């Protein structure tokens, strides 16, 4: 059981790190010369703010907000897990930590789904685009946060 607890803790830390990287980095959509993320559009020479999104401006703000909320809930869940390790009695479950991770999972789901629906078909600089590593990391965080949230609910302190 201790090995399982340590494994979940490592996956939780990996999820927090991947959430930070996927939210901060500007490589969600990429071409051969341009990459664009949640905050900026970068070319080979410089990075500038995202150009006018028109009707999709509020969707981008929602994606930014939900990804930041996912980071916040994931970090709070990590702190709650460490606190519960020292305060819970033996045999109790990590309900608070699991609940926070499932809220994190929901935030990632909403944020990445909005991005997928609104921006996955975007064409940059009249060339073929593809999803880059930040987009993929965000979907991996979606899976990991759900997995750790469910495992925290099932896990008992020994």
């Amino acid at each position: 059981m201790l090995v399982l607890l340590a494994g979940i803790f490592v996956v939780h830390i990996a999820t927090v790190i991947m959430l930070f990287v996927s939210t901060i980095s500007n490589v969600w959509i990429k071409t051969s010369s341009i990459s664009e993320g949640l905050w900026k559009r970068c070319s080979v020479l410089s990075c500038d703010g995202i150009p006018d999104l028109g009707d999709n401006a509020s969707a981008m703000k929602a994606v930014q907000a939900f990804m930041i909320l996912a980071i916040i809930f994931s970090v709070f869940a990590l702190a709650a897990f460490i606190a519960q390790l020292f305060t819970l009695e033996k045999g109790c479950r990590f309900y608070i930590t699991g609940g926070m991770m499932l809220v994190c999972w929901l935030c990632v789901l909403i944020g990445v789904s909005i991005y997928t629906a609104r921006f996955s078909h975007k064409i940059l600089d009249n060339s073929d685009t593809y999803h880059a590593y930040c987009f993929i990391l965000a979907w991996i965080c979606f899976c990991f946060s759900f997995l750790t949230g469910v495992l925290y609910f099932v896990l008992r302190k020994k």
Side-chain angles (χ1 to χ4, degrees), residues 12-64:
H12 192 150
I13 290 176
T15 303
V16 171
I17 292 169
M18 288 189 296
L19 274 172
F20 269 108
V21 169
S22 68
T23 303
I24 293 171
S25 200
N26 290 307
V27 194
W28 281 59
I29 293 180
K30 190 160 176 43
T31 67
S32 59
S33 61
I34 296 175
S35 65
E36 185 173 293
L38 302 180
W39 311 101
K40 292 183 179 184
R41 177 184 280 185
C42 297
S43 65
V44 176
L45 301 174
S46 67
C47 288
D48 300 318
I50 296 176
D52 184 33
L53 297 171
D55 293 339
N56 289 329
S58 60
M60 182 60 81
K61 296 283 185 201
V63 172
Q64 292 169 346

Side-chain angles (χ1 to χ4, degrees), residues 76-88:
F76 283 170
L78 190 61
F81 174 68
I82 292 170
Q84 285 180 323
L85 275 178
F86 297 109
T87 60
L88 277 181

Side-chain angles (χ1 to χ4, degrees), residues 7-17 73-79 81 97 101 144 148 152:
I8 293 171
F9 184 70
V10 168
V11 171
H12 192 150
I13 290 176
T15 303
V16 171
I17 292 169
F73 280 111
S74 183
V75 169
F76 283 170
L78 190 61
F81 174 68
T97 306
M101 278 310 289
F144 280 1
T148 56
Y152 279 134

